[in-house]
Amino acid sequence: LASLCAVCLCEPRGQRELQVLISAQRDSLADAFAGPARRQRDAVGRSAIWLASAPDGSLVGTCGVQTVVMSPEGETRMTRVNKPMLEVRPLLSNLVVAPEWRRCGVASRLLQESESMSRAWGFDEMLLKVEASNTAAIQMYLRGGYVTVGIDTRAERPRAGLMRVQWERTTLVCMRKRLPAPDVMDA
């Protein structure tokens, strides 16, 4: 799982970089998706993770949902202006698909499962952040009903440094989708 995320999210340039990024991804995933607080009904930081596998059992995709305090535009930094709008909202994270499995519906299915979980948790929306340079993902989210609600020019992404992860600036597009109410027959 950490390896798939490191390869797809960070694009390492060699084996040494890959190992540094795998280690960092492993720690990041454990922080985000492990521990009893992540399963509490009303906890900020509540999370779930999905894995997609090929018929041979190999991992081909993953994504997670975390509950995070943020504004409707995806802003997590508190200011005098946005403080009244901050509340717990579901955030899609780490949606990755192995290159050979892209454009096969894996990402769309993971996204649908994440949206269903957010509805089950009682939310009527889903937010996500995607790198502005990832135009294929942005197009997929637009086709899925997401709209751009903000741009984060102060975001950072990991990259492998000398024996540790370093952080570099990136721009993230924040997108939001209103989730339909569950069907009466589903209740």
Side-chain angles (χ1 to χ4, degrees), residues 11-143:
E11 301 170 356
R13 294 176 294 226
Q15 194 61 30
R16 185 188 60 76
E17 284 189 10
L18 177 61
Q19 293 308 314
V20 169
L21 291 167
I22 288 172
S23 177
Q25 282 294 324
R26 188 178 301 119
D27 293 345
S28 176
L29 290 165
D31 287 347
F33 298 104
R38 304 294 183 209
R39 294 184 294 274
Q40 294 178 13
R41 182 164 174 75
D42 296 321
V44 172
R46 180 182 192 186
S47 63
I49 193 166
W50 288 265
L51 305 174
S53 60
D56 68 0
S58 61
L59 182 63
V60 298
T62 185
C63 74
V65 175
Q66 299 170 271
T67 54
V68 179
V69 175
M70 63 184 152
S71 74
E73 294 79 30
E75 181 64 55
T76 57
R77 298 169 192 94
M78 187 186 319
T79 66
R80 279 183 275 139
V81 174
N82 75 1
K83 184 177 180 179
M85 297 179 288
L86 294 177
E87 60 183 66
V88 177
R89 301 175 193 280
L91 178 69
L92 181 78
S93 64
N94 296 324
L95 193 153
V96 297
V97 175
E100 63 273 18
W101 283 89
R102 292 181 185 158
R103 304 202 58 78
C104 296
V106 175
S108 295
R109 180 63 192 265
L110 289 167
L111 190 57
Q112 289 171 356
E113 292 297 326
S114 299
E115 292 170 357
S116 293
M117 178 58 75
S118 292
R119 285 295 314 151
W121 286 347
F123 293 101
D124 64 355
E125 65 183 346
M126 172 77 85
L127 283 90
L128 61 86
K129 294 183 179 186
V130 59
E131 288 206 40
S133 61
N134 193 346
T135 56
I138 292 170
Q139 290 304 310
M140 180 195 71
Y141 295 132
L142 289 169
R143 284 190 306 273

